[in-house]
């Protein structure tokens, strides 16, 4: 699981995550899932998909479905195949879990973030890798468990002094959280820019 976090000023965490999803080199039989878990709301459906895909899939619906069924069972039908130029959508190698349609929906996901972290940490058994887009604020607060459980946390920055300065303090805060979670520095998890 690789988690991407942004900084104030929208440096492009979602754009970077979507670019990684579309270009990630997949070994035969492996799949990649991009989970748009930004508590401030998703941007892929109205942005990259230009509103052509409705809100019948996604994180909000997953949270609602998980109240009546197992989260793993509810998860798979919420994924949308993302087509690449040289791949057919029917191959379902690159999958998207669309994000929230409004930041007002985030409080309803409080009990789901930890379950999602468990699901993503164990998804390797299904030959899937996961990219998690936490947006600007998602690494801190209830959704932050997704950063804490990640194998790698990428901090997306702009190439400006202001952005690099903000990244420095964000990376220090993430390291403090990760160290506090594991009791000591965890070599398998890291934050980088």
């Amino acid at each position: 699981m690789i988690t991407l976090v942004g900084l104030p000023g929208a440096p492009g965490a979602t754009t970077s995550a979507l670019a990684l999803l579309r270009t990630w080199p997949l070994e035969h039989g492996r799949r990649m899932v991009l989970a748009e878990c930004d508590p401030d709301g998703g941007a892929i459906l109205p942005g990259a998909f230009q509103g052509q895909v409705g809100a019948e899939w996604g994180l909000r619906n997953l949270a609602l479905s998980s109240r009546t069924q197992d989260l793993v069972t509810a998860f798979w039908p919420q994924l949308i195949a993302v087509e690449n130029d040289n791949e057919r959508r029917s191959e379902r190698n690159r999958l998207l879990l669309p994000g929230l349609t409004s930041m007002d929906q985030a409080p309803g996901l409080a009990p789901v973030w930890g379950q999602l972290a468990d699901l993503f940490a164990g998804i390797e058994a299904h030959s899937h890798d996961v990219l998690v887009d936490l947006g600007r604020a998602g690494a801190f607060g209830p959704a932050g468990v997704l950063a804490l459980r990640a194998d790698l946390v990428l901090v997306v920055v702009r190439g400006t002094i202001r952005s690099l300065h903000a990244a420095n303090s964000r990376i220090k805060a993430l390291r403090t959280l990760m160290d506090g979670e594991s009791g000591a520095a965890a070599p398998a998890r890291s934050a980088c820019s």
Side-chain angles (χ1 to χ4, degrees), residues 174-185:
L174 284 169
R175 283 192 176 134
T176 299
L177 284 173
M178 288 177 177
D179 291 348
E181 177 71 13
S182 66

Side-chain angles (χ1 to χ4, degrees), residues 28-182:
H28 180 70
R30 295 212 51 90
R31 292 186 170 97
M32 176 61 76
V33 175
L34 168 55
E36 192 177 21
C37 296
D38 185 345
D40 289 336
I44 293 176
L45 289 185
F49 280 68
Q50 299 178 349
Q52 295 176 8
V53 177
E56 59 267 15
W57 291 281
L59 191 56
R60 177 182 174 272
N61 299 326
L62 176 61
L64 294 172
S65 297
S66 71
R67 294 177 186 167
T68 59
Q69 59 182 311
D70 177 70
L71 184 75
V72 175
T73 304
F75 174 73
W76 299 105
Q78 294 303 318
L79 301 176
I80 298 171
V82 176
E83 190 175 311
N84 264 359
D85 293 339
N86 59 348
E87 296 173 340
R88 292 185 309 275
R89 191 174 293 236
S90 61
E91 292 176 355
R92 296 185 59 84
N93 291 332
R94 299 171 194 279
L95 303 164
L96 169 68
L97 174 65
L100 301 173
T101 55
S102 167
M103 65 188 295
D104 297 336
Q105 298 164 345
L109 272 99
V112 177
W113 297 122
Q115 295 174 38
L116 275 175
D118 292 341
L119 172 67
F120 295 158
I123 205 166
E124 172 69 26
H126 297 282
S127 299
H128 287 67
D129 296 312
V130 179
L131 295 167
V132 178
D133 172 14
L134 284 176
R136 292 178 290 240
F140 301 93
V145 68
L146 293 164
L148 294 175
R149 297 285 306 275
D151 297 302
L152 180 68
V153 175
L154 301 175
V155 177
V156 181
V157 300
R158 291 183 189 275
T160 65
I161 299 281
R162 180 179 177 201
S163 185
L164 294 172
H165 178 72
N168 187 41
S169 62
R170 181 68 57 103
I171 290 169
K172 286 180 183 177
L174 284 169
R175 283 192 176 134
T176 299
L177 284 173
M178 288 177 177
D179 291 348
E181 177 71 13
S182 66

